[in-house]
């Protein structure tokens, strides 16, 4: 049948014949309980509970939920999400929910129900810690970056994949506009907290900043180094107190190797800057934990990337024939690749910090702060640090330097 | 019918029904004269002469001519050549031969016969000047670079084109291996002039050089800034004494904006370094003319690129909304894009200078020098300047600085 959005009421009847779903939740569809829990912008998400267990049914909607049907979005993004999930599962086993079934016509993926996982952003706002978070995220980012690139993949496979994901047009176009361009002028869908005007004026008057941001956009649109998740913020990660998974890769594309980890660090930094409004006496300790997650994630990324460099360099780039086979240490080459990756990452990090306060689609870390007079100065610290990251991305030593910068801005009254 | 290579004898019978060919050369195929003139590595090239005029019939062969059928190559490259020619014609009208007919199954393109054009490399070896050469090449490179990028194209069109040309796998793979990797180790198909061993040892011992070359390869394989010709040397240009065209784009791919002009400059530099073996009393004047072509080509590229930046910036990159609409001069942005482009170009230039003396597929500029003891010291100058370009690509001021470097090396005994 043609695409039709599921509802809580129609789901059992429509999906009762899907063996992969019945295998998870039980054969008797009349016994299924269905709950719609989608809180994102783009999809319906149902939890189906039956005598045998639970499963997630995710179905794309033909428009942006936040905006309504005035902003149509192609259903084919479920196709790219499905292909992204299979590649992420292969490149970092266990990092993403298992996929049980994909129906292209219905733009529908049936996948593993994660429990008791919740969206990481909620935990960060609530001041909860997640054991092993940095290890998981550092490894995930390093493995997907390395194993989706010509450091690992064979050229024909990589080219075929680049061609496939080049079909994902409209969703990455949201990133191109909302992340890289809208924050830096008075775009129609922008919004910001009252009181930030002087800071915003300063950012938008900074021509050098805009040049660097647009250079990052140029790399985002015309650099196919690896398959990136494309939207790896704390709302795309689900965690328990000791287990995490990455979800929602519909923004997938081939892009710069530093993109995901840069966006990820930005979201931890925003969690960090928002904490004074969420915490009491545990503020300092929890902020220190967040910075520790950033530093450790980056350090584990680096360790894992170098491990893969040493053990899995099977692509055409930096071949052993030019290095190890000549008794030439290839670590200067790994240093150079890593340095370029972090340059991209810190620029993207700063840009993501901007767009979440200035463009459409703010994040709950700041939005949950009801009092604008409390929110504005915290967002201002975040915005100005973002600008410094963009300006200094080429020369930043490492994530420790970024954390030091965050501590500086956290103590500053910048409004 | 299935693919079958044409011969001088079978061509009239097989192509007599192609109206577009008959329109060029005349209806009576029995009156056609056919001559095979392919001197490249990959194709059959026929000149068909009839009462109405002449046309070129170019047909891909299923193997590398230079090596034989032990090196198979897909016939589909004619498909990419055809699509490249249509885009080049649209992006720089008049720069490439007109296409009359394309037959995908026969891997065959019927196109304009250029007369009295000859391969530019032959003219450079013969010491002949071509009026307007720098203007033509500078504009061609700038227009194809700019108009094939997101500075100009809309994202959906660009993504569709990137996906299409990602199908061109095996031909760009030749470049990946022969240009970027083989020169730097003892690869099977390599050859070099006797006497160069000390220079070659020096290059291959230079780990920093190999790192920079492989970083350039990383950009070549995972940077889709614009549609590049991919093989723009003086054998891919045909000229009279005042008119030039670009031919043979089967190495087409989306790649770095500086790739074509970098490879082009390398081929002029090799023409320059080879001249002492080809010229008499006109040596200094002709060498000066070649350097003038390099300097002028680059300067015209820059002027044309900036003109297009000011007048045709219709893509999503560096939009007017962030610059001109805010009364912010966008020239710092153009400076930054240009600087990045030339960094890529000079690295590619140095690499091309290496591969033409060390890998497979040397060029006639040097190969036509029969005496190895004359050839080796000239190639040595070329090789060492290539290394200096690769090392200093990030900091070179401009093409004038490159020409000054060439004059220095031209006066040095480096062997």
């Amino acid at each position: 049948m043609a695409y039709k959005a599921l509802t809580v009421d129609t789901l059992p009847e429509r999906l009762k014949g899907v063996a992969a779903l019945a295998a998870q939740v039980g054969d008797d569809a009349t016994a299924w309980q269905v709950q719609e829990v989608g809180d994102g912008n783009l999809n319906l998400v149902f939890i189906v509970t039956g005598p045998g267990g639970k499963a997630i049914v995710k179905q794309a909607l033909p428009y942006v939920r936040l905006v309504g049907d005035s902003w149509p979005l192609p259903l084919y993004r479920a196709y790219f999400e499905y292909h992204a999930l299979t590649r992420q599962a292969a490149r970092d086993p266990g990092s993403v929910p298992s996929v049980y079934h994909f129906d292209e016509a219905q733009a529908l993926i049936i996948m593993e129900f994660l429990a008791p996982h919740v969206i990481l952003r909620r935990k960060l706002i609530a001041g909860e810690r997640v054991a092993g978070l940095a290890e998981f995220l550092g490894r995930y980012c390093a493995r997907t970056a390395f194993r989706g690139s010509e450091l690992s993949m064979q050229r024909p496979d990589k080219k075929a994949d680049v061609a496939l994901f080049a079909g994902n047009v409209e969703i990455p176009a949201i990133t191109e506009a909302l992340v890289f361009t809208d924050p830096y002028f008075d775009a129609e869908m922008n919004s910001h907290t009252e009181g930030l005007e002087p800071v915003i004026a300063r950012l938008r008057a900074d021509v050098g900043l805009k040049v660097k941001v647009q250079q990052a956009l140029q790399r985002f649109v015309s650099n196919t180094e690896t398959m990136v998740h494309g939207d790896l913020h704390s709302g795309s990660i689900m965690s328990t107190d000791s287990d995490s998974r990455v979800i929602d890769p519909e923004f997938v594309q081939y892009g710069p190797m530093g993109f995901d980890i840069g966006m990820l660090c930005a979201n931890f930094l925003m969690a960090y800057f928002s904490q004074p409004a969420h915490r009491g006496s545990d503020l300092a300790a929890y902020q220190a934990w967040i910075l520790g997650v950033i530093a450790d994630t980056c350090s584990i990324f680096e360790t894992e990337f170098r491990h893969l460099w040493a053990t899995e360099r099977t692509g055409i780039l930096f071949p052993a024939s030019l290095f190890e086979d000549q008794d030439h240490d290839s670590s200067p080459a790994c240093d150079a690749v890593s340095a370029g990756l972090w340059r991209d990452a810190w620029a993207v990090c700063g840009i993501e910090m901007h767009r979440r306060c200035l463009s459409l689609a703010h994040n709950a870390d700041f939005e949950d702060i009801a009092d604008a007079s409390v929110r504005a100065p915290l967002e201002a610290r975040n915005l100005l640090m973002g600008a410094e990251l963009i300006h200094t991305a080429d020369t930043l030593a490492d994530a420790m330097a970024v954390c030091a910068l965050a501590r500086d801005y956290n103590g500053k009254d910048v409004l």
Side-chain angles (χ1 to χ4, degrees), chain A residues 171-203:
Chain A
I171 312 292
I174 297 173
T175 303
E176 293 158 9
L178 295 196
V179 176
F180 287 97
T181 302
D182 287 2
Y184 304 99
F185 79 111
D186 188 23
E188 198 182 335
M189 290 181 297
N190 283 353
S191 69
H192 66 261
T193 301
E194 200 185 324
L196 284 177
E197 293 76 11
V199 173
I200 297 171
R202 191 169 141 188
L203 297 184

Side-chain angles (χ1 to χ4, degrees), chain A residues 355-367:
Chain A
R355 73 99 166 198
R356 289 289 187 182
C357 294
L358 301 180
S359 180
L360 190 72
H362 292 214
N363 56 22
D365 311 69
F366 289 124
E367 291 301 292

